[in-house]
Every structure is written in structure tokens, then in C-alpha cells.
Amino acid sequence: MIPRETTVLVVGAGPVGLAVAASLAQQGVEVTVVDQQAEGANTSRAAVVHPRTMEALDRLGVADRLAGLSLRAGRFTIRDRDRVLVPLEFAQVPSPYRTLFMVPQPTTERVLLDRFVELGGRVLRPHRLTALEQDADGVVATIDDQHRIGARYVIGADGMKSAVRTMAGIGFGKDSAGESFTLADVRLHDGGLPGEEVVLFFSGAGMVVSAPLPDGSFRIVAEVDDPPEHPDLAFVQDLLDRRGPAAGTTRIAEVVWGSRFRVHHRVADRYRAGRVLLAGDAAHVHSPAGGQGMNLGLRDAVALGEALGAVVKGEPESLLDEYAATQRPKAEEVVKFAGRLTRLATASPMLRPVRNAALSALAKVPAFRVMLTKRLAGVADR
């Protein structure tokens, strides 16, 4: 049943919305979560949780639980087919979590939902935000054109097409749409792809990424002009044959799931409009290069949950401004980093030999490898 009042209303029950809700509930703050989907997502875009993100999730009491469901990939390499250009190791990352945790997004979402439920919360579905009004004392949200909820604060964690952001009058910057990508989770007949390593393959035909998943399948991502909505086995096999290991020993047995998407690069003009705050894709979207999207969103969520929880308990509202002032520049930096990786991976055929030679030379410099590893792990400021 939809309540008439709540302290905090969270719109969106993906990983980001659930993380901020769990953070608030853990602090004893009354929180209501609504989502327009009838059930949680059962397909996966994000597939990795970074060391810095695990540190944030540890504050919610779920890091060990999620780690137990993950495959640990301690290495990331950039290759020109079979030739290693840039090898990166995570064993020396300045974090208690010195690896990449490969785990499908639905698993991350389920762990966060379980934690929220343990703390006494529940998600109300399917309910759509249809209006939002605020004044100095609070916010009134209209749900499904009929239910009105009074809240002290509203959090928009409702994705790139955020209704909260739009209704709060927050701009979303200039849309810089870029390359199209195909994505598929596949099972293999035999080997050919590293089972504990994420690989970005370069080739004359383009790039492809291989990432192992806990159930033995692999996430395949590639930049493709006009990709099919549902990539089939023949399509993905051809990508691996032309872009993956040159030995050609990788044989796909099954495409478990596939999709396509176009890269967007946008950051919200601001993360706070009075009593309305943004986190995750509602605040920033960018290339999937480096797996930064959900990770940055989860770190948004924990930072916002802790700041808002303190404000609800009487601390100054300037903490919310600090959240916005801290997280927005981080998003701008991640957008730039992900954009650079995408441009590097999708370089024109004429520039690819120069790119490969430059990367191979840079990889011999320890400081470069350390910098790039820290970037990928989310600990570049350490």
C-alpha cells in the first residue's frame, strides 16, 4: 500500500536506488521505494564491481556477500589479437579488495534488495511517478496520477530517462551520442578466452571485449555499426573469429542473452534541486568502457545515503550540497575517461598501428600501468 507520507521517497529500484535506500534504512531513516517495473530486471548490462565500489558496499554490509557470488578477475589486458599490448594487475591496488569482481547486475541488485528487506524495507511495484511539486518544507509526489505522497526529500534513481530529473527542472547537458555496441552473454564449447581475466581485443576488424562471468559464461561486447537487436550465435561467432584470439579456437555453444545499445555521454547540470536529489544514471551516462557506469552510481548512492541520513537527523543541509559538489566532478572525469577508452578502442584503421605502438611503449612505463590500473579500480585519487 502506498503511504501518504514518508521521510524519503526513492524513485527507481535498480542497484542505485536499492543501495541508497539500504543506506538510509540502516541509519533508521524511514524510506519508501517505488519502481514502475512489475519486477526487477532479469537481464544484465553491468558485469563488474570495482574495488572502490566494494569498499562503499562494505558500509552497507553486503560486500562479503557479493564477493561470495562473484568470479574474481585479477587481470585486465589490452591485446592486438593474441599480442599483449598492456597488461594490468590488480594485486597491488591500494584497497582491501584487490581484484575485479565479475558479477551480473541482477545478482548485485538481488543482494542489495535482500539487504533492504532485512532492514525492514520493501519495494512498491509497479508504480509510476506522474507529478512532483516541492516547497521549502517538503515534496509532494503523485504516483499513477492518483496517489499523493508527502516526503521531506525525493531521490531520483530512475535511469537515463529520469522522470524525477525532468520534473525537477534539472537539465541533462548536451547529448553526445556516439558509437553503437552489441552485447551478448555466451557459453563456449571449448577454451580460447581467459577464464579469470578481462580482455579488450584490438584487430583490423574492430574491437571486442571478453569478460568471464561466475556461471562459466562470457560477456562479449563489441562496437558494431547497426547491430541486430538480438545477436544470434552466428553473429557473435563471426565477431570473435575476426576480432578475438587469432588462433580461432573459441567456439560458441549458446547465446544466453543479447542486446544492443548506443553510447551517450551526459552529466546532469546539477545533482540537487531543493529537496530533490539525483544519483546513478539519472545523473550521468557514458560509454561502458572500463565498466564505470554502475560502479559510479553505487558510489553515488552510498555517499548520498550517508549525507541525507545525517541531514535527516539534524546535521546541516550543506552536506547535500557537498554530495553534489563532490560527485558531479567525479562523473565528469569518468565520462572523459570512458570516452577516451572508447575512442582508443574504436580508432580508425589508419590510426590503429600508431595506437598499438604507443600503447605497447607506454605499457613498459610502470607509472602508466599504475595510473591506468587505479583508474579502472576507481582509486585514482590514492
Side-chain angles (χ1 to χ4, degrees):
M1 181 176 179
I2 297 177
R4 297 184 64 180
E5 292 191 359
T6 187
T7 303
V8 179
L9 173 65
V10 177
V11 181
V16 172
L18 291 169
V20 72
S23 176
L24 289 165
Q26 187 170 254
Q27 298 171 77
V29 176
E30 179 191 37
V31 56
T32 299
V33 180
V34 298
D35 193 281
Q36 65 180 1
Q37 291 187 324
E39 58 183 21
N42 54 19
T43 56
S44 171
R45 290 190 183 274
V48 60
V49 178
H50 296 156
R52 187 65 165 270
T53 309
M54 290 295 278
E55 293 176 27
L57 294 176
D58 185 51
R59 302 207 291 273
L60 300 183
V62 299
D64 289 346
R65 199 179 310 182
L66 191 62
L69 298 169
S70 303
L71 181 151
R72 303 187 184 204
R75 181 176 165 96
F76 178 99
T77 59
I78 300 175
R79 305 186 186 192
D80 179 6
R81 301 300 299 265
D82 294 324
R83 182 166 68 99
V84 175
L85 301 176
V86 182
L88 301 176
E89 306 281 350
F90 291 88
Q92 301 304 315
V93 167
S95 169
Y97 302 94
R98 297 177 179 176
T99 188
L100 298 179
F101 294 85
M102 309 306 301
V103 56
Q105 182 173 321
T107 302
T108 303
E109 188 171 314
R110 186 176 71 249
V111 167
L112 289 165
L113 176 60
D114 288 347
R115 179 58 176 154
F116 181 47
V117 171
E118 288 171 4
L119 294 164
R122 67 188 183 100
V123 177
L124 305 179
R125 304 176 180 272
H127 294 295
R128 185 169 61 93
L129 178 73
T130 51
L132 200 64
E133 308 165 57
Q134 68 167 311
D135 57 28
D137 298 319
V139 188
V140 175
T142 303
I143 307 296
D144 301 330
D145 290 320
Q146 54 180 323
H147 306 288
R148 289 167 64 85
I149 304 177
R152 285 180 62 182
Y153 297 94
V154 170
I155 295 174
D158 50 341
M160 185 177 75
K161 298 179 180 179
S162 171
V164 173
R165 185 188 63 241
T166 300
M167 293 175 189
I170 300 175
F172 202 24
K174 181 180 179 182
D175 186 4
S176 176
E179 298 82 4
S180 295
F181 285 79
T182 190
L183 177 156
D185 289 351
V186 304
R187 299 192 187 281
L188 304 181
H189 276 301
D190 45 36
L193 297 176
E196 296 182 350
E197 178 180 336
V198 178
V199 184
L200 168 55
F201 291 99
F202 292 156
S203 73
M207 55 77 69
V208 65
V209 174
S210 162
L213 295 174
D215 65 354
S217 64
F218 287 81
R219 167 67 49 83
I220 306 299
V221 182
E223 186 264 331
V224 179
D225 291 334
D226 193 25
E229 183 176 0
H230 302 291
D232 59 16
L233 190 152
F235 179 83
V236 184
Q237 184 67 63
D238 179 64
L239 285 176
L240 288 176
D241 289 345
R242 292 186 299 113
R243 304 185 185 192
T249 59
T250 304
R251 310 309 302 170
I252 298 175
E254 176 190 7
V255 175
V256 180
W257 173 79
S259 185
R260 64 183 177 187
F261 60 92
R262 180 175 291 277
V263 167
H264 295 264
H265 302 269
R266 306 178 79 171
V267 178
D269 295 345
R270 50 199 170 122
Y271 280 24
R272 182 187 182 194
R275 293 177 172 272
V276 176
L277 299 116
L278 303 179
D281 285 358
H284 48 76
V285 293
H286 45 80
S287 163
Q292 301 290 314
M294 184 184 72
N295 282 274
L296 180 60
L298 287 171
R299 298 198 293 271
D300 285 347
V302 176
L304 176 54
E306 292 176 348
L308 186 53
V311 169
V312 168
K313 293 180 178 181
E315 294 295 320
E317 285 211 349
S318 60
L319 289 175
L320 302 180
D321 295 323
E322 289 177 20
Y323 158 76
T326 300
Q327 295 303 115
R328 190 175 184 280
K330 290 179 180 179
E332 290 181 317
E333 188 57 37
V334 165
V335 167
K336 290 177 185 176
F337 175 63
R340 291 189 200 108
L341 281 180
T342 301
R343 289 191 295 275
L344 193 69
T346 58
S348 68
M350 184 179 299
L351 293 176
R352 285 169 190 161
V354 177
R355 173 200 62 192
N356 291 357
L359 282 174
S360 185
L362 283 170
K364 294 179 173 63
V365 180
F368 172 78
R369 296 198 307 273
V370 170
M371 178 276 295
L372 190 52
T373 303
K374 284 185 172 182
R375 282 275 188 185
L376 290 169
V379 296
D381 55 349
R382 296 178 180 171

